[in-house]
Amino acid sequence: MRRLRTNTAVIAAAGTLVIGLVASGGATAAQAPAPAPTDEIAAASAFADHSPAVVVGKMTGPKSTSATDTAWRVTGTDLGIMWDNGQGQILTAFGDTFGDWTGPGGGGGDWRSNVLLRSSDADLSDGMTFDSAVEDAPGHAGELIPSLKINGQEITTIPTAGIAVGSRQYLAFMSVRQWGAPGAWDTNYSRIAYSDDNGETWNSTDGPQWTNTPDGQHPFQMVAFERHDGYVYMFGTPNGRFGAAHVARVPETAMLDKSAYSYWNGSTWVLGDDTAAVAFVPPNVAELSVQYSEHTGGWLMTYLDENLDLVLRTSPSPEGPWSDRQRLASFADFPGLYGGYMHPWSEDGELYFSLSQWEPYNTYLLRAEIDENGTVVNPNLIQDPGFERAVDGSMPAPWACTGSCGIDINHTWAHGGTKQGWMRFNAGWIDVHQDVAVEPNTTYTLTGFVVTGGTPAQGALGVRELGAGGATIGETTFDAVGAYTRFAVTFHSGDRTQVQAFVGTHLNGDRWVQFDDLSLVKAEEQLPGLSVFVSSEPAAGTKVVRDDVVTYTVTASTDSATAEGVALAVDLAGLVDDATLDAASLASSIGTPVLDGSTLRWLGDIPAGETLELSFAATVRRDSSRTDSQLVVTTTASGDRAILTSCDGCALTLTAVHYDPRPPRPEFPDKPGKPDKPGKPGKPGKP
């Protein structure tokens, strides 16, 4: 058993993959594996390769949910292998970690081959927070499993899987001899370490070991664990990213006994002979994560495939048959992605997982959704959600801009990856928007990460009707936002089949807004829609004169299958300054309205299938010309559960004219009357 200590390293970069080197003066260089973007890969990552998963939050590094860079000197890291410790916590193991990260990719000082953070966060909808780390000094995450840090012997020790049995924690790791070409590296062996104090100290020398073969093709050099029905299943691949998947199992009480492992040979389990294991998922399979799902009643497997996409397969049993691949996240939307590891507390079809990106060499929490058959459903409807498909600084289609906007290409400014959108100017309104197809009568949630600077002013993230001047359907506002913050708005589509998602801001001096990682998905809870319609007789826009009577009608209905609580507020302040409300005219088809000063309020339940009709009348006063001569009625509405989908006519105005000739009086057809001076007949003897 070994107490933790601090290591430092100097890193040398070679293209997009940092290869272990021996630096001058004996300092050692190392780096975790990463994909290499090439012209061929870029061509294969067509725009059609859309990512269903959405970014929920940043797990590690600067701007992360738990600020791991300042909390534990975890500034640059990768992987994020999660398991339930059986004590109400998720333990998360990371690979090569740097306190003084230099990037791009892994590199820098204060190098540790692996670290461990703990989380008790059960609500992942707003990101994953960490409570503590295994430390070797206050505020410094320590290395769990030592490595020689000598290229060609053992450059690093990288965790690949974790599991708890009882109060003991098990952590599989690979001893990396040297890094090679992109996607290739050589291992000495894989081994299982264990801890009996919740990860504070580890025995990394006495556990079972699977030594690599001379050709580098031993099938259990990188493994994933899952417990089920008294066994721990160990899924494995050779070193690198070009191998196939295999599976072994061991009674959960015998994890440290290598002779107790059985290997699937395609038809049966063979005890003690790892050469019997056959491939059950063909290459390329890299960085496996496997989980038994109560939601599907079967098994889930995620891994990086030959397209450098993170994909999902499903199976009724650990040995297969495994389904075809389904994409979770594409290289086109998340350049340099790797290491997707499922969160053990994913449930009810919500699949949370960590995802690493080579630049900025950190991990993110993503979310996808699967149905009971394991099919990926409810994808992110925003195209190019992180602007990573942009080829230069101009805003890429299908995004569009009103005003001055563009793309920054700089990982220190982006929330995720290397790019994010920006807008900046000093007067008026500016926004970036995208038209999105939606289903009618459906509840959706739009989210995005926003940071602002310059002169404070109100901004908004929301959705609106298509076309110039489209009415806002739903929005959430922001003002001064000093660090990337996740904003969300839930709305109901009503009868629409398209909406326009936008991020925008008013301008009151030099102001800029940056935004990244947007998503639009069906809301977990589908809520009813609330529709409101306001009309008047005479109709809005009509000119009226004193003593005219105007009758108003407000209707409200929901598409709910049950009664829905609704609140209406009709602001009459702009009416009663020019007209007199007839209190006796107040009427309601459901419940009773209440006049509260100059506001008419209605509060109650609208039964399913019924429509509330609220009406009242007002008479134009003779002195209306002494005020603004405008009869203004403004209606607002909200529901206990229902979401307002439309409010047609809710801002309604008529004009009271100072003088308007009346139609000719019957007795004096040739002389129109005036309101106070009716026409007089001509004098006798004169025409």
Side-chain angles (χ1 to χ4, degrees), residues 17 58 218 227 272-273 304 412 425 624 633:
L17 179 68
K58 191 175 184 183
H218 189 278
R227 285 177 61 192
D273 182 8
L304 193 71
T412 62
F425 207 63
S624 61
V633 171

Side-chain angles (χ1 to χ4, degrees), residues 210-362:
W210 288 263
T211 302
N212 205 355
T213 54
D215 63 358
Q217 293 302 306
H218 189 278
F220 293 96
Q221 293 302 287
M222 301 172 64
V223 305
F225 290 144
E226 178 62 311
R227 285 177 61 192
H228 190 63
D229 289 343
Y231 288 96
V232 171
Y233 288 85
M234 183 174 74
F235 300 82
T237 65
N239 50 210
R241 290 202 168 102
F242 307 113
H246 309 72
V247 63
R249 72 179 187 184
V250 64
E252 60 183 35
T253 57
M255 278 199 68
L256 298 180
D257 181 1
K258 187 180 178 184
S259 66
Y261 285 74
S262 297
Y263 303 85
W264 181 250
N265 72 356
S267 58
T268 191
W269 295 97
V270 178
L271 181 64
D273 182 8
D274 55 11
T275 64
V278 299
F280 64 87
V281 175
N284 293 356
V285 180
E287 291 140 7
L288 278 170
S289 178
V290 182
Q291 189 175 99
Y292 179 79
S293 169
E294 297 288 348
H295 178 68
T296 66
W299 293 72
L300 310 176
M301 173 190 293
T302 61
Y303 63 89
L304 193 71
D305 72 359
E306 64 270 18
N307 298 317
L308 298 182
D309 290 343
L310 183 71
V311 297
L312 170 71
R313 289 184 186 259
T314 64
S315 174
S317 66
E319 61 270 22
W322 288 86
S323 69
D324 292 337
R325 289 173 288 178
Q326 303 177 75
R327 183 186 297 110
L328 292 176
S330 76
F331 187 92
D333 289 323
F334 300 93
L337 69 84
Y338 62 105
Y341 295 96
M342 289 180 279
H343 194 294
W345 292 349
S346 299
E347 60 183 4
D348 298 329
E350 289 188 303
L351 188 63
Y352 288 95
F353 57 92
S354 64
L355 188 73
S356 298
Q357 281 192 275
W358 181 244
E359 187 177 3
Y361 194 66
N362 265 295

Side-chain angles (χ1 to χ4, degrees), residues 289-619:
S289 178
V290 182
Q291 189 175 99
Y292 179 79
S293 169
E294 297 288 348
H295 178 68
T296 66
W299 293 72
L300 310 176
M301 173 190 293
T302 61
Y303 63 89
L304 193 71
D305 72 359
E306 64 270 18
N307 298 317
L308 298 182
D309 290 343
L310 183 71
V311 297
L312 170 71
R313 289 184 186 259
T314 64
S315 174
S317 66
E319 61 270 22
W322 288 86
S323 69
D324 292 337
R325 289 173 288 178
Q326 303 177 75
R327 183 186 297 110
L328 292 176
S330 76
F331 187 92
D333 289 323
F334 300 93
L337 69 84
Y338 62 105
Y341 295 96
M342 289 180 279
H343 194 294
W345 292 349
S346 299
E347 60 183 4
D348 298 329
E350 289 188 303
L351 188 63
Y352 288 95
F353 57 92
S354 64
L355 188 73
S356 298
Q357 281 192 275
W358 181 244
E359 187 177 3
Y361 194 66
N362 265 295
T363 62
Y364 295 81
L365 184 70
L366 272 68
R367 175 189 176 276
E369 190 172 332
I370 57 175
D371 64 16
E372 292 181 352
N373 297 315
T375 302
V376 177
V377 295
N378 192 18
N380 184 5
L381 299 180
I382 297 290
Q383 300 290 320
D384 195 9
F387 306 96
E388 298 293 337
R389 298 176 189 260
V391 296
D392 54 28
S394 58
M395 186 61 61
W399 291 104
C401 181
T402 301
S404 174
C405 70
I407 302 297
D408 285 323
I409 305 175
N410 187 327
H411 68 252
T412 62
W413 295 346
H415 177 262
T418 61
K419 301 171 186 175
Q420 96 289 329
W422 63 264
M423 64 184 78
R424 184 174 186 177
F425 207 63
N426 54 23
W429 166 264
I430 188 170
D431 69 56
V432 172
H433 53 269
Q434 182 180 135
D435 294 350
V436 183
V438 295
E439 298 176 19
N441 304 313
T442 305
T443 310
Y444 290 91
T445 298
L446 172 70
T447 63
F449 292 84
V450 175
V451 62
T452 71
T455 305
Q458 188 178 79
L461 177 142
V463 291
R464 61 195 177 203
E465 303 274 7
L466 267 59
T472 299
I473 302 167
E475 66 177 20
T476 183
T477 60
F478 54 83
D479 195 341
V481 185
Y484 270 112
T485 301
R486 182 175 181 265
F487 290 89
V489 57
T490 298
F491 67 97
H492 194 283
S493 62
D495 60 359
R496 306 172 185 89
T497 58
Q498 278 192 307
V499 297
Q500 190 171 88
F502 70 90
V503 181
T505 185
H506 296 281
L507 299 160
N508 185 27
D510 187 19
R511 171 175 168 83
W512 55 261
V513 178
Q514 292 174 318
F515 41 94
D516 204 355
D517 293 327
L518 285 90
S519 68
L520 197 159
V521 296
K522 292 179 182 176
E524 182 178 358
E525 182 181 10
Q526 287 296 301
L527 300 173
L530 168 63
S531 298
V532 178
F533 178 72
V534 183
S535 63
S536 65
E537 178 58 42
T542 300
K543 293 181 179 179
V544 294
V545 297
R546 50 187 166 184
D547 295 332
D548 279 351
V549 176
V550 183
T551 301
Y552 294 87
T553 303
V554 181
T555 61
S557 62
T558 75
D559 59 5
S560 175
T562 59
E564 289 295 335
V566 172
L568 293 174
V570 186
D571 184 355
L572 306 177
L575 171 67
V576 297
D577 62 343
D578 291 300
T580 301
L581 181 68
D582 180 4
S585 69
L586 294 178
S588 178
S589 62
I590 304 170
T592 303
V594 175
L595 188 59
D596 178 13
S598 61
T599 302
L600 180 62
R601 302 186 187 279
W602 186 94
L603 180 66
D605 290 340
I606 300 178
E610 295 191 24
T611 297
L612 165 68
E613 186 172 289
L614 176 65
S615 62
F616 56 93
T619 302

Side-chain angles (χ1 to χ4, degrees), residues 78-92:
D78 66 354
L79 302 184
I81 297 153
M82 297 175 277
W83 73 96
D84 187 331
N85 72 349
Q87 303 165 42
Q89 289 181 316
I90 294 295
L91 304 188
T92 307

